[in-house]
């Protein structure tokens, strides 16, 4: 392990905080995002925190950009030890309202972006016996109402991570998947959905979170160190997951009530 890490979606939010958490341990960081100004700012903060590295603009929908990023890591760092597939976008809306374009967009970034990140960097990770950290969401485990395309994409990230955990054990590449609940982030900047009311409701949930992106990054750091596969940073998320494992119907009933409330609120806003 030579302390070399790659992060997608590193220009803001959780990606930036993960970079800063590892930078404090003196790591070399390869930072990518679609936002150049965000990346410049992250690199500046990384250097102030005690790390170093380089930035490269990368859209995770484009596999050739990810393979070029992997090549840059090999040229500049001589390889990579940890990859963090973090780039993601938010969306919401009831299934009947979501277009197939909404589905394609969500799956191309939040699921296939992770698949392509793992694929592009796997040869380097096999050499270094490194680690994969995939950022999913509690939505992958809880399937809240009015976000089916987001739920499906993030559940795919968990299923991919479980598959890789098993397949890559032979290569001594370890795998971790993180499922945060709502937290204060700029995820809404990328939000796409059919109704403004939905965006406002998600915004309230993000703002009311008891923990910050920096807290989550620190929790990820600790859990990866002890080898935990499924990382649930929110206490409420851990409790909800325990309930679902014991009696899923309890959660389904609760989500059905929530869906009715959301429909009623949306009607009020429209009226």
């Amino acid at each position: 392990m030579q302390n070399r890490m790659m992060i997608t979606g590193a220009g803001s939010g959780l990606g930036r905080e993960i970079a800063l958490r590892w930078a404090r341990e003196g790591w070399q960081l390869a930072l990518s995002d679609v936002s150049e100004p965000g990346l410049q700012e992250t690199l500046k903060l990384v250097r102030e925190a005690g790390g170093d590295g380089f930035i490269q603009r990368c859209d995770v929908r484009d596999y050739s950009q990810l393979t070029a990023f992997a090549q840059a890591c090999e040229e500049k760092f001589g390889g990579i030890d940890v990859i963090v597939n973090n780039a993601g976008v938010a969306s919401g809306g009831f299934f009947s309202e979501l277009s197939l374009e909404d589905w394609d967009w969500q799956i191309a970034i939040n699921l296939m972006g992770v698949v392509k990140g793992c694929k592009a960097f796997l040869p380097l990770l096999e050499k270094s016996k490194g680690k994969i950290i995939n950022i999913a969401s509690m939505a992958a485990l809880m399937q809240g109402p009015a976000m089916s395309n987001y739920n499906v994409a993030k559940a795919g990230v968990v299923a991919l991570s479980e598959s890789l955990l098993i397949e890559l054990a032979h290569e001594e590449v370890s795998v971790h998947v993180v499922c945060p609940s709502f937290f204060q982030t700029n995820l809404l900047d990328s939000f796409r959905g059919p109704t403004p009311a939905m965006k406002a409701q998600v915004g309230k949930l993000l703002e009311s979170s008891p923990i910050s992106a920096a807290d989550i990054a620190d929790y990820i750091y600790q859990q990866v160190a002890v080898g935990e596969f499924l990382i649930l940073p929110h206490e409420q998320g851990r409790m909800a997951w325990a309930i679902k494992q014991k009696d899923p119907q309890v959660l389904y009933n609760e989500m059905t009530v929530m869906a009715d409330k959301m429909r009623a609120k949306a009607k009020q806003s429209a009226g």
Side-chain angles (χ1 to χ4, degrees):
M1 194 64 83
Q2 290 180 39
N3 298 1
R4 304 160 299 185
M5 174 184 259
M6 171 287 264
I7 306 169
T8 65
S12 63
L14 183 58
R16 173 177 287 174
E17 293 301 339
I18 290 171
L20 294 179
R21 181 63 190 84
W22 266 263
R24 291 204 295 275
E25 309 298 323
W27 279 55
Q28 292 283 308
L29 296 151
L31 308 166
S32 80
D33 201 288
V34 289
S35 161
E36 288 264 13
L39 282 175
Q40 300 280 5
E41 180 64 16
T42 301
L43 185 59
K44 180 173 154 285
L45 293 168
V46 155
R47 286 175 173 154
E48 286 167 9
D52 202 0
F54 72 96
I55 61 172
Q56 188 156 319
R57 192 188 178 282
C58 180
D59 184 333
V60 296
R61 288 174 291 186
D62 184 344
Y63 185 60
S64 67
Q65 290 185 32
L66 280 159
T67 54
F69 188 35
Q71 203 174 340
C73 289
E74 191 160 30
E75 284 164 12
K76 292 177 175 163
F77 293 167
I80 207 81
D81 300 292
V82 180
I83 68 165
V84 184
N85 290 303
N86 166 72
V89 289
S91 66
F94 284 100
F95 182 76
S96 57
E97 303 164 333
L98 292 169
S99 67
L100 290 178
E101 286 74 22
D102 290 332
W103 277 89
D104 288 343
W105 176 75
Q106 180 58 235
I107 285 170
I109 299 170
N110 281 5
L111 175 54
M112 290 310 297
V114 177
V115 171
K116 290 170 183 175
C118 291
K119 190 88 178 153
F121 279 84
L122 186 58
L124 294 181
L125 291 169
E126 286 175 338
K127 279 182 195 162
S128 65
K129 312 288 184 203
K131 299 180 194 300
I132 294 170
I133 303 172
N134 291 330
I135 308 298
S137 164
M138 277 311 290
L141 308 176
M142 293 293 122
Q143 291 85 40
M147 45 200 287
S148 55
N149 58 346
Y150 186 79
N151 294 340
V152 168
K154 291 297 192 177
V157 172
V158 172
L160 170 70
S161 304
E162 288 177 333
S163 305
L164 295 177
L165 174 75
I166 296 155
E167 289 187 23
L168 299 180
H170 175 69
E171 306 292 338
E172 294 174 63
V173 173
S174 61
V175 180
H176 311 268
V177 65
V178 185
C179 293
S181 305
F182 289 107
F183 61 96
Q184 291 151 23
T185 176
N186 64 336
L187 197 61
L188 274 196
D189 295 352
S190 68
F191 185 91
R192 188 185 286 193
T195 60
M198 193 64 67
K199 184 170 181 173
Q201 285 183 36
V202 173
K204 277 182 193 159
L205 287 166
L206 294 175
E207 282 164 24
S208 65
S209 168
I211 64 175
S212 67
D215 297 329
I216 291 170
D218 191 52
Y219 189 81
I220 295 168
Y221 184 86
Q222 293 166 24
Q223 294 298 300
V224 167
V226 297
E228 191 65 49
F229 166 68
L230 180 63
I231 299 172
L232 309 177
H234 287 69
E235 193 182 350
Q236 276 180 312
R238 295 192 286 276
M239 282 158 56
W241 179 230
I243 291 166
K244 186 171 179 183
Q245 286 176 294
K246 199 174 170 190
D247 187 356
Q249 195 59 48
V250 172
L251 257 297
Y252 302 148
N253 293 344
E254 206 173 295
M255 294 294 186
T256 306
V257 171
M258 197 193 292
D260 291 341
K261 281 183 185 165
M262 286 169 93
R263 278 196 194 92
K265 260 192 194 167
K267 264 187 193 154
Q268 271 178 349
S269 304

